[in-house]
Amino acid sequence: MEPLSEAARADLAHRMAAVVGAAHVVTDPAELLVYECDGLTHGRTRPDLVVLPASTAEAAEVVKLAAAAGLPIVPRGAGTGLSGGARPVPGCVVVSLARMRRILEVDLENGWVRVEPGVINLDVTRAVAGAGWYYAPDPSSQGVCTIGGNVAENSGGAHCLKYGFTTNHVLSARLVLDDGTVADLGGPVADGPGYDLLAALVGSEGMLGLVTEVTLRLLRKPEATRTFLAIFPSTDEAGEAVSQIIAAGILPAAIEMMDSLAIKAAKAATGLGWPEDCALLLMDADGPAPEVEHVHRRAGEIARACGARDVQVPRDEAERQLMWKGRKSAFAAVGRISPNYLVEDGVIPRSEIAAVLREIGRLASGAGLRVANVFHAGDGNLHPLVLYDAANPGEEARAAALGGDILRLCIRVGGSITGEHGVGAEKAAYMAEQFGPDDLETMMRVRCAFDGAARFNPGKVFPTPRLCGEKPGPYLPHPAEAAGLAERW
Amino acid sequence: MAGPLDGAARGAGASRPATPEDAVLGLSPRLVFEPASEAEAVEAMQACARDGLRVLVVGGGTDLALGHAPAAVDAVLRTGRLTGVVEHSPHDQIVRALAGTTLAALQAHLAPHGQRLALDPPFPSRATLGGLVCANGFGPLRASRGSTRDLVIGATLVRADGVLARGGGKVVKNVAGFDLPRLLVGSLGTLGLLTTVNFRLHPLPEAQATVRFGGLGAAGVRRVVKAVLAAQVEPAALAAHLGAEGGPLALGVRFEGFGPGVAGQVERLLAAATQGGLPGDRLDEPAAAAFWAEHASARERGPFRARLAAPPAAAEAMAASLEALVRALPGGSAGWYPTLGLGFAGGAPAGAAAVAASLGAARQALGALGGSVVVSAAPEAVRAALDPWGAPPAAPVLALMRRLKAQLDPEGRLAPGRMVGGI
């Protein structure tokens, strides 16, 4: 799409300012820099303008103005996503939900909270923790990422093996559609009549509309949590322990694995006295005390039987938090041992962990690169961190190719190219390897039902987007729209 | 609407002319398809697409009457031969099975591996996996394990145009692409023919125990739920039922897990409840089995059945609505999941007017709280006098539902009119 002329851009900014206030429309090139990318920083596109509405009504007006100008809209939360899901497309309006950060209503009798999308994930739990409740999905970025972004990406976290993902905890969402219509999907009461549109919305990566309110299910804080850190000679034994623990009928609240390179990085960042040249399992069991004590002890026995050199139990909550800090800081910590790195996100069947890690090691040697592994072992959600030095010619490209090989390996063993980071801009090409053309075309039909103009977050998820109405269907493409979009893709 | 292309449809995989016994919901199809494989299912749907046939998919028939009767049906597609486990990976705790597989057959396959699908609706030997997904079937375990929506991880469907499409996958954690499997939950065969379903599995519990509280009213149920919270226990199931002709409620709280955990939780609940003046009985194994069988039968009894939904805290409104419905259904009974805010009432209606009146009252009471009452079965005479869905969703939401239907079934041939709003 042709960028707007300066005059047209100024005119649109002026009209947006009339809706949200001049202070909340960003047109200054220096300020726009912030919005060029999300947590995946190597792909950048400058948006034409950024608008920050403060309410659903303002958001609906903003959508109408962008639509009238024929511009795509890229929704944005905190910009912590790791797949380029919030990366702008040329000539777009970025709508940031950062000003919509009120907690609107708490109903503990029925176990839910209604929030605006800009509320930080952890702030939901903070708001209800005093009464003994919490919000379960806990992505590692939970101190900064927003609920709106979590809904877009169907975010997970360390504890989703037992408690599920964002989609299992969203009861309703208010959605602004491409014509400015506002629709409330779902509701706090279960099983409303009709299609489960909310199921399509959560994880749709901002491609169906703008979410301006979300009702979240809350859970009672478990009575007890017991943690251990088990030290294994290698990921082979650690992987086997994960399989055996699960096979024993245990459903851990979290079970995380780190390999020796990830451990080295975490130690460098936190000063933890963890051993090196080993693999670590960090396991949480939670629930009623009588059940947790039993599970904790039994899982520890299994870890030893599978070859754990040591099973360390934290002496107190502070020590437990420190263990988790070591795990949660691992991504960033890799920066201590490598000038640059890529964060991958793939899923494999749990039983394949040891074999896949060996294969990743083999692929890495072949590429002359190192890969650190830190991941959610219970659900087979790998996060291989591909280490490289961009200063060495060709190394960045080799790292990207290795990342792709790892994703293909995940597909080959029956897994997925993403467990929680989303497809975004980064992995759209791999979608065609995990799914067939008919699968993707069916998903795109769902998108067409919501956003016939392909207004929201175009160019994400699907490798070869189709225009709504191309195939037999009730909607004809708007001719100008079709031309503009066809050019952009 | 027999046409020149009819012969083509009849010649496709496993179809036969319908007989009077094939009539469903008062509709007489001309053709019956009984595909025995995904490939045959595709052929059947392609044949129907070619000839413009309106199709009703029939699984075990346990929720066949949920929603409106389709406006018209040319062909019935039965999934009774589309059975079998395609893949079971005990280590990964996942299973893929063809949609016509009954829940009982699946559980029998999984049990020797110490696993189960954590779904326990009534009639497991009739209910099919596809039907459970399409009708959002569930039982007492939903209180801890969630609904079908929380357990389904992948699905294959044949679209109205005969195209086979997959969504999700066979790993539990997976956010690649739009979530087609969850979108199909509750879609009643109006968006496509489900052919394969992938589920996450759970271990069979090593131990279980049930505590029964009898003679309760709505306030008593509410107090037991409070005792559960106070005791910080986590029941696998918490369900109540109402006997024939009304009367007091019986509530069961079941714990599952490892021996010490189950025993400890039972003790704690009994202590907390006794403190609140609510003596509970720990049931021995036969008594517990009898209690849960009684619950399943109380939940779905008679030719008229309705599903009720309300905020969980609105215990009095839910209990009053269930009681009023049961009074209009001689010999009827009801089931209630207090922590979920969901209930079921069923029986033989004394007359269309009496049922319509109590249904209307329940809809008014629960609708005001954001809830709903959906009729899932009714004798034809009663059915004609009722709207099975009640108030439709708000206009923008209903419009989205229509657009979704139009995208996946543009000719409106799959169970036309069955869904809310006549979709």
Side-chain angles (χ1 to χ4, degrees):
Chain A
M1 162 168 280
E2 288 294 307
L4 285 183
S5 69
E6 267 313 305
R9 196 165 76 110
D11 178 56
L12 183 60
H14 183 73
R15 276 178 287 146
M16 290 288 188
V19 176
V20 301
H24 307 299
V25 178
V26 182
T27 53
D28 178 68
E31 286 179 60
L32 286 174
L33 271 178
V34 178
Y35 298 94
E36 283 188 343
C37 64
D38 58 12
L40 188 74
T41 53
H42 64 255
R44 292 169 184 270
T45 304
R46 188 171 304 183
D48 266 22
L49 71 164
V50 177
V51 186
L52 296 93
S55 66
T56 299
E58 286 186 13
E61 287 307 310
V62 166
V63 168
K64 284 187 208 163
L65 285 174
L71 298 185
I73 293 170
V74 176
R76 184 182 177 94
T80 57
L82 293 169
S83 59
R87 182 190 299 166
V89 294
C92 77
V93 175
V94 166
V95 177
S96 163
L97 286 311
R99 288 176 68 215
M100 297 183 65
R101 50 174 183 242
R102 287 177 301 167
I103 290 178
L104 299 169
E105 190 180 358
V106 179
D107 181 345
L108 295 183
E109 282 278 297
N110 290 301
W112 54 259
V113 57
R114 192 162 56 89
V115 305
E116 290 185 330
V119 169
I120 303 289
N121 172 299
L122 197 55
D123 286 346
V124 176
T125 291
R126 287 195 180 117
V128 296
W133 295 76
Y134 79 112
Y135 174 61
D138 63 339
S140 290
S141 56
Q142 69 178 150
V144 282
C145 66
T146 63
I147 292 300
N150 291 176
V151 169
E153 302 300 319
N154 188 14
S155 302
H159 290 81
C160 44
L161 173 62
K162 180 170 178 183
Y163 291 103
F165 323 98
T166 301
T167 192
N168 307 106
H169 299 271
V170 175
L171 299 177
S172 75
R174 180 163 288 179
L175 184 69
V176 178
L177 300 170
D178 61 345
D179 61 356
T181 305
V182 176
D184 285 315
L185 311 186
V189 177
D191 294 1
Y195 297 125
D196 194 342
L197 299 176
L198 198 56
L201 178 67
V202 179
S204 61
E205 308 206 19
M207 297 181 78
L208 302 187
L210 265 189
V211 171
T212 59
E213 260 184 47
V214 188
T215 304
L216 302 169
R217 183 201 313 280
L218 297 171
L219 299 182
R220 295 279 293 181
K221 193 170 179 295
E223 180 193 18
T225 301
R226 293 298 304 272
T227 300
F228 69 64
L229 181 77
I231 298 152
F232 293 87
S234 79
T235 50
D236 282 5
E237 294 84 357
E240 179 60 18
V242 172
S243 284
Q244 293 296 328
I245 288 169
I246 306 272
I250 291 170
L251 183 56
I255 184 161
E256 303 282 298
M257 198 193 292
M258 297 171 74
D259 72 1
S260 58
L261 202 51
I263 295 165
K264 195 169 154 192
K267 285 181 67 180
T270 60
L272 278 162
W274 286 348
E276 281 186 36
D277 294 323
C278 62
L280 295 181
L281 270 191
L282 182 60
M283 184 184 124
D284 269 1
D286 71 9
E291 183 82 4
V292 169
E293 286 306 324
H294 178 83
V295 163
H296 173 73
R297 199 170 48 244
R298 187 139 162 204
E301 288 162 9
I302 293 170
R304 284 183 200 280
C306 289
R309 291 206 300 255
D310 192 13
V311 177
Q312 299 178 359
V313 177
R315 279 182 302 256
D316 52 25
E317 180 59 20
E319 199 172 293
R320 175 179 176 270
Q321 290 295 342
L322 198 62
M323 285 177 174
W324 270 103
K325 190 180 168 199
R327 158 61 186 90
K328 291 205 172 184
S329 66
F331 276 22
V334 167
R336 305 256 181 161
I337 60 166
S338 176
N340 307 93
Y341 63 99
L342 291 178
V343 178
E344 275 305 346
D345 167 42
V347 188
I348 57 167
R350 185 166 49 220
S351 53
E352 301 280 344
I353 286 177
V356 167
L357 290 181
R358 277 196 302 273
E359 180 63 12
I360 289 176
R362 206 185 59 77
L363 291 170
S365 316
L369 295 169
R370 294 182 301 166
V371 174
N373 287 290
V374 46
F375 58 95
H376 312 303
D379 37 32
N381 185 189
L382 305 179
H383 289 309
L385 306 165
V386 180
L387 280 48
Y388 69 96
D389 185 348
N392 295 336
E395 206 164 299
E396 183 159 19
R398 282 214 313 283
L402 175 57
D405 288 343
I406 292 172
L407 293 181
R408 289 192 184 96
L409 173 60
C410 292
I411 296 173
R412 210 159 58 234
V413 298
S416 172
I417 56 169
T418 173
E420 54 187 9
H421 294 176
V423 176
E426 189 68 1
K427 292 184 178 174
Y430 298 97
M431 281 292 278
E433 298 186 36
Q434 183 169 340
F435 292 102
D438 292 337
D439 308 336
L440 296 173
E441 201 263 344
T442 305
M443 294 177 198
M444 284 188 265
R445 286 182 180 220
V446 174
R447 188 193 188 202
C448 290
F450 282 82
D451 179 11
R455 170 97 37 228
F456 293 101
N457 216 9
K460 311 292 164 62
V461 179
F462 300 107
T464 46
R466 95 176 235 263
L467 297 175
C468 300
E470 261 181 3
K471 296 233 172 145
Y475 298 104
L476 296 171
H478 187 285
E481 210 74 64
L485 293 169
E487 273 173 34
R488 184 162 63 252
W489 288 324
Chain B
M1 52 168 282
L5 291 172
D6 227 18
R10 209 166 281 147
S15 73
R16 61 168 170 83
T19 66
E21 284 81 67
D22 291 310
V24 277
L25 303 170
L27 299 160
S28 300
R30 288 183 290 119
L31 282 178
V32 176
F33 290 90
E34 292 177 288
S37 67
E38 213 156 67
E40 284 186 12
V42 169
E43 263 179 53
M45 292 293 273
Q46 282 173 348
C48 292
R50 206 164 46 232
D51 290 357
L53 303 184
R54 289 159 295 187
V55 187
L56 178 67
V57 178
V58 178
T62 56
D63 270 320
L64 190 57
L66 183 52
H68 293 288
V73 167
D74 303 305
V76 160
L77 193 150
R78 297 186 180 278
T79 62
R81 297 173 65 217
L82 198 58
T83 58
V85 170
V86 180
E87 180 181 358
H88 172 215
S89 174
H91 282 295
D92 300 312
Q93 296 183 336
I94 62 104
V95 72
R96 296 176 62 210
L98 291 171
T101 310
T102 63
L103 180 61
L106 178 70
Q107 305 289 34
H109 181 97
L110 301 173
H113 301 274
Q115 297 185 344
R116 69 175 174 192
L117 172 61
L119 272 179
D120 54 349
F123 316 123
S125 55
R126 282 171 53 209
T128 62
L129 303 179
L132 285 171
V133 170
C134 288
N136 187 19
F138 68 94
L141 273 177
R142 180 169 172 176
S144 60
R145 294 300 186 204
S147 64
T148 310
R149 183 190 200 277
D150 299 300
L151 299 166
V152 66
I153 58 171
T156 307
L157 79 153
V158 186
R159 290 192 326 215
D161 58 4
V163 168
L164 189 78
R166 289 177 307 138
K170 51 182 197 171
V171 283
V172 171
K173 198 172 186 184
N174 178 8
V175 297
F178 290 1
D179 200 338
L180 297 176
R182 284 192 178 86
L183 180 59
L184 293 173
V185 173
S187 62
L188 297 177
T190 61
L191 298 180
L193 163 66
L194 199 52
T195 52
T196 310
V197 200
N198 310 351
F199 287 109
R200 78 174 291 186
L201 303 173
H202 285 88
L204 279 169
E206 193 178 273
Q208 51 180 299
T210 296
V211 177
R212 180 183 184 278
F213 298 87
L216 300 176
V221 169
R222 205 195 245 284
R223 278 159 59 210
V224 175
V225 171
K226 283 216 181 329
V228 165
L229 291 179
Q232 294 196 287
V233 292
E234 293 178 4
L238 193 156
H241 52 268
L242 196 63
E245 314 298 326
L249 288 152
L251 173 69
V253 182
R254 185 165 85 230
F255 296 99
E256 296 181 350
F258 297 99
V262 167
Q265 293 190 78
V266 166
E267 273 170 40
R268 281 190 185 190
L269 175 62
L270 286 172
T274 306
Q275 210 167 29
L278 290 159
D281 300 320
R282 185 192 164 132
L283 303 181
D284 61 23
E285 248 174 72
F291 175 89
W292 293 105
E294 184 184 295
H295 172 80
S297 116
R299 206 193 93 165
E300 317 243 337
R301 183 172 297 167
F304 178 92
R305 297 197 295 277
R307 292 179 169 200
L308 291 74
E316 281 76 10
M318 174 63 86
S321 294
L322 289 172
E323 279 163 19
L325 275 167
V326 168
R327 275 197 301 275
L329 299 164
S333 55
W336 178 19
Y337 303 101
T339 52
L340 300 170
L342 295 168
F344 292 79
V355 174
S358 52
L359 185 69
R363 280 183 171 155
Q364 195 160 19
L366 304 187
L369 301 166
S372 59
V373 184
V374 173
V375 176
S376 52
E380 261 174 64
V382 175
R383 193 183 181 89
L386 300 173
D387 174 358
W389 291 105
V397 177
L398 191 59
L400 273 178
M401 290 177 183
R402 287 190 199 289
R403 281 151 62 176
L404 179 67
K405 169 75 171 178
Q407 282 292 334
L408 293 174
D409 178 18
E411 294 162 346
R413 290 187 295 100
L414 303 183
R418 187 178 183 187
M419 194 41 107
V420 68
I423 293 172

